Amino acid sequence: MASAHAKTKRPGGIVRTLMMGIWLPAVFLAGLLCSFLPAFHHPTPHHIKVAVAAPPATTAQLQHRLDTAVPGGFTLRQVDSAAEARSAVLNDDAVAAFAPAPHHPQLYGAKADGVAMETIVRQVFTSVAQNAGATLDFHELVPTRPGDTLGTSPFYLLMACTLPAYFLVATMQRAVGFSRRAHVATLVGGGAVAALACYLTGAYGMDAIPRHPLALLYLFLLTQSVSLTSYGLVSFLGPFFPGASVTLFIMLSVPSSGGTVSVDLLPDFFRFLHPVLPMGNAADALRNVDYLGDRQLGRPTAVLCAWIALGTALIVLGYVKHLRRLVREARAGMTGYVPVPPVEDPTVELPEPVALPPRRHHFGEQPPMLTGRVSGPAGEPVPGATITVTDPRGRQLLHTRTDHNGEYAATGFHDGFAVVVAGASGRKPVATRLLLSTETPLNQDFILTSHRPAGAALSR
């Protein structure tokens, strides 16, 4: 005989469940309000470099006028000729070049530095020319590619590499039968596929990025920076890894990437993050490959590789941590070890039966739907007893074992009836039919008697 005891949720449990459901949306809300909004709502020039082909006195006078109009917005560099000023733009030593003249001053820009950047520079220097009673002539030195009119297509390709890389980590947590090595191999393979798809679409389908092998390489390095680091965080942050990964690789990386708003137009905080986070470095690498002839790739390459190295180190340390835990459990005499439950992003979680460690449930972890204890007639625990859950048609949903205390726990079932069978070597199996519900956890204990003719097998 077997019986189930439904546990009624207390007010504290309801609050706990509610908090578990809303913490990740709260991270997104905070990120959008505290990261995206401050970064994008009012782009302002910050020390934009402009080469000026004029005498030092004229350059100083122009600097003073700009500081009055836009304090701290522009940093002028005096050069000897218009040709040298144009060369500064082509070599990425300056965002724009200016050659003053009495009636038709010349401004040279680079749309590849960002459409928003070029627009602001043109507006400011047009105003300067008009105040002097002159008409500004503008010349485009570095236009964007034909398929990238607004200069933002590479950003969306970078997003198309970043998001699948993160979500692959989240969904792979369901592959509990995979080894750590298989997980990593899947992340590398998935990243290669995502990078290749983005490269072929952007380079050959849209002509938005260069048809250069280095472009493919940097897209792949971005996927690995995100996926390996996110996967490495799982061992240390557990159920909170989605919040950390989303914050690092989306909430902070997107506004600081310079993909939609040029870096020199962002607040100080995001300009500081730009050379540190993966997306900004991947954006710089694509731009350098496309417009600067493969120059200035040292920093983007080093930073992306550093993130990959960090992710690899976290994975190795997580593996060492896992081995140490197994050693501690072995020394404590634990048997019937139950694997650690999958750590998931609630936004991509799919119901699937999975065994949980039969212990106190911590905030952020999956709550058990079914718990219980298997014991003998005298109340002694039966470690290593098998617990099999099937649907009414006999299809196996879950197979696990009890721990050293004879306890088990599981979750991920759909609402409905299921058959739970407990068995152990030398003991008579016991089965019971339960109505499982995501709303009400059940506790099902079993008592297993030996095969010797005695009383009927009981469980409570």
Side-chain angles (χ1 to χ4, degrees):
M1 183 179 70
S3 61
H5 307 283
K7 296 181 180 178
T8 303
K9 287 190 176 182
R10 299 178 180 178
I14 296 176
V15 173
R16 182 189 184 91
T17 301
L18 179 62
M19 293 299 295
M20 288 171 55
I22 67 174
W23 75 267
L24 189 57
V27 170
F28 275 94
L29 177 61
L32 292 172
L33 294 180
C34 301
S35 183
F36 281 51
L37 189 59
F40 297 145
H41 87 289
H42 184 54
T44 304
H46 294 88
H47 305 289
I48 296 177
K49 296 178 181 178
V50 179
V52 179
T58 303
T59 302
Q61 183 180 16
L62 179 59
Q63 180 74 73
H64 176 72
R65 294 166 64 184
L66 291 174
D67 288 341
T68 301
V70 187
F74 294 87
T75 299
L76 304 185
R77 180 165 69 90
Q78 187 269 331
V79 296
D80 295 331
S81 65
E84 187 177 350
R86 291 193 298 269
S87 179
V89 175
L90 294 172
N91 293 328
D92 200 36
D93 294 326
V95 170
F98 184 65
H103 301 292
H104 293 283
Q106 308 296 307
L107 179 66
Y108 302 90
K111 194 175 182 181
D113 281 325
V115 175
M117 172 77 78
E118 186 175 83
T119 300
I120 289 178
V121 172
R122 289 185 66 174
Q123 289 175 347
V124 171
F125 280 84
T126 297
S127 177
V128 168
Q130 289 176 345
N131 290 338
T135 302
L136 182 72
D137 292 336
F138 178 77
H139 306 275
E140 182 64 69
L141 292 181
V142 190
T144 54
R145 301 184 68 83
D148 187 26
T149 306
L150 298 178
T152 57
S153 297
F155 165 75
Y156 294 106
L157 292 174
L158 296 177
M159 285 290 290
C161 286
T162 298
L163 291 179
Y166 163 72
F167 283 119
L168 182 59
V169 175
T171 55
M172 281 303 296
Q173 297 306 305
R174 273 293 181 189
V176 293
F178 275 31
S179 66
R180 196 176 303 260
R181 182 180 300 177
H183 279 162
V184 172
T186 303
L187 297 179
V188 174
V193 171
L196 181 61
C198 291
Y199 172 72
L200 294 177
T201 301
Y204 293 90
M206 301 170 52
D207 194 19
I209 60 174
R211 299 178 182 181
H212 195 298
L214 283 177
L216 174 59
L217 172 64
Y218 285 108
L219 291 174
F220 174 70
L221 291 179
L222 175 62
T223 65
Q224 299 311 291
S225 299
V226 174
S227 62
L228 294 181
T229 304
S230 296
Y231 184 70
L233 290 173
V234 172
S235 297
F236 298 92
L237 300 182
F240 298 103
F241 99 90
S245 295
V246 165
T247 300
L248 274 176
F249 301 124
I250 298 178
M251 296 305 170
L252 295 179
S253 287
V254 168
S256 65
S257 68
T260 54
V261 175
S262 300
V263 178
D264 289 334
L265 303 178
L266 297 174
D268 292 343
F269 175 68
F270 298 102
R271 287 189 288 116
F272 168 78
L273 291 178
H274 174 79
V276 176
L277 296 177
M279 188 180 291
N281 284 278
D284 287 347
L286 288 181
R287 177 177 170 274
N288 292 341
V289 169
D290 203 357
Y291 302 113
L292 298 178
D294 304 345
R295 295 188 302 250
Q296 301 182 22
L297 292 174
R299 187 256 296 165
T301 304
V303 173
L304 288 170
C305 289
W307 277 97
I308 293 173
L310 172 63
T312 303
L314 289 174
I315 292 171
V316 172
L317 291 174
Y319 177 66
V320 172
K321 177 184 176 184
H322 174 70
L323 291 180
R324 288 180 176 177
R325 184 184 62 199
L326 291 181
V327 171
R328 288 196 303 269
E329 291 176 351
R331 290 175 177 174
M334 296 184 181
T335 60
Y337 173 74
V338 179
V340 175
V343 177
E344 300 180 68
D345 180 342
T347 61
V348 297
E349 182 175 346
L350 299 175
E352 182 179 342
V354 62
L356 300 177
R359 52 176 170 76
R360 180 179 175 83
H361 173 60
H362 298 287
F363 179 78
E365 297 177 343
Q366 297 183 46
M369 292 177 60
L370 177 64
T371 58
R373 183 174 183 269
V374 179
S375 60
E380 74 279 10
V382 181
T386 60
I387 300 294
T388 305
V389 183
T390 65
D391 63 16
R393 299 179 181 178
R395 182 173 65 92
Q396 181 173 301
L397 303 177
L398 176 76
H399 182 80
T400 187
R401 291 181 179 274
T402 57
D403 67 0
H404 65 291
N405 290 320
E407 298 178 345
Y408 69 93
T411 193
F413 302 101
H414 293 282
D415 290 353
F417 285 100
V419 177
V420 182
V421 181
S425 177
R427 298 176 184 267
K428 294 181 180 180
V430 176
T432 187
R433 188 168 183 261
L434 302 175
L435 177 59
L436 301 178
S437 171
T438 55
E439 300 295 329
T440 307
L442 293 178
N443 180 265
Q444 177 62 55
D445 295 339
F446 293 93
I447 296 178
L448 302 184
T449 59
S450 66
H451 279 299
R452 295 191 303 270
L458 297 175
S459 73
R460 65 180 189 278

